[in-house]
Amino acid sequence: MSDLLLVRHGETAWSADGRHTGLTDVPLTARGVEEAISLAPFFLGGKPALVLTSPLSRAVATAQLAGLSDGIPEPDLHEWDYGGYEGITTVEIQRTRPHWSLWTDGVPAGDAHHPGESAAQVGARADRVLARAAKVLREERGDVVLVAHGHFLRVLTARYLGLPPTDGRLFLLRTGTVSTLSTEHGLPVIAGWNTRA
C-alpha cells in the first residue's frame, strides 16, 4: 500500500533560534545538512511515485541530500507566510501580545513580500497538495513524498485527518524528520511521526 511521506527540511539558523521562517529563503546549517543526509536510508528501498518540494532552498537542498533528486517544486508547499512576524520568535511576540498563538491569533500583515496568511489560507493550500497526492496514491503507483516546512506540514496533517487547519497545533514536527500518513481500514491515520534513521 502507498503512503504519504512528509519530510521536514533540515535545521536552519532561524529554526535553531525559534524564529518564524516563512518565505525568507534561509539555507541549511551544517547540522541541517547532516540531518538531510541522514534521511537517505528512508528512500533506498524504492523510487517514490512522486516527490514534491517547497520551492524554498532549504527544502530543495534537503530533498537532494536525502537522495530525492527528482523532486518537483510545488509552490503550494511553501511555509506559512508569517507576515509582520517573519523572523521574530514567539517569545519576542509575546512581550507585546501575552499568550499569543499562531494557531488562534494569526499574524499581522507585513510588507509586500510578506503579506501574511491565516490558518484557513494555509489549509486551502494543503488541501490542493493533498488532492494532487491523492490521485497518485489512489492509482497505487507508489509512495508520495512531500519535502516542506514545519507549520505547513502540521496543517497538512490535520487536513489529511479531516481536522480543521488550526488542529495542526497538535502535531509537533522536528527538523530533519520523516513522518508517514497512511490508511487503516480505509481511514486516514498517522503511521509514523518525527522518525529519524
Side-chain angles (χ1 to χ4, degrees), residues 91-181:
V91 170
E92 291 171 317
I93 295 165
Q94 289 179 341
R95 287 186 188 131
T96 56
R97 290 184 71 184
H99 311 294
W100 172 84
S101 167
L102 171 67
W103 303 100
T104 55
D105 301 318
V107 298
D111 61 24
H113 300 290
H114 303 95
E117 280 184 297
S118 67
Q121 289 171 311
V122 179
R125 288 195 289 112
D127 287 346
R128 290 192 296 268
V129 172
L130 286 170
R132 183 173 178 184
K135 182 177 187 304
V136 176
L137 293 170
R138 273 194 307 273
E139 295 169 0
E140 300 234 5
R141 293 189 283 147
D143 293 337
V144 173
V145 181
L146 306 178
V147 185
H149 312 274
H151 280 129
F152 177 80
L153 291 173
R154 292 169 69 177
V155 169
L156 183 135
T157 298
R159 298 301 301 135
Y160 179 83
L161 297 172
L163 302 171
T166 53
D167 280 355
R169 67 186 171 76
L170 302 171
F171 309 108
L172 177 67
L173 191 57
R174 307 224 181 265
T175 58
T177 58
V178 175
S179 299
T180 306
L181 303 182

Side-chain angles (χ1 to χ4, degrees), residues 46-129:
K47 182 177 166 68
L50 178 65
V51 178
L52 300 175
T53 70
S54 161
L56 296 170
S57 65
R58 58 194 181 269
V60 173
T62 296
Q64 292 171 343
L65 291 165
L68 300 166
S69 58
D70 55 351
I72 301 167
E74 169 51 64
D76 277 335
L77 280 174
H78 71 74
E79 180 59 298
W80 195 316
D81 179 354
Y82 300 116
Y85 287 158
E86 181 77 7
I88 301 174
T89 68
T90 297
V91 170
E92 291 171 317
I93 295 165
Q94 289 179 341
R95 287 186 188 131
T96 56
R97 290 184 71 184
H99 311 294
W100 172 84
S101 167
L102 171 67
W103 303 100
T104 55
D105 301 318
V107 298
D111 61 24
H113 300 290
H114 303 95
E117 280 184 297
S118 67
Q121 289 171 311
V122 179
R125 288 195 289 112
D127 287 346
R128 290 192 296 268
V129 172

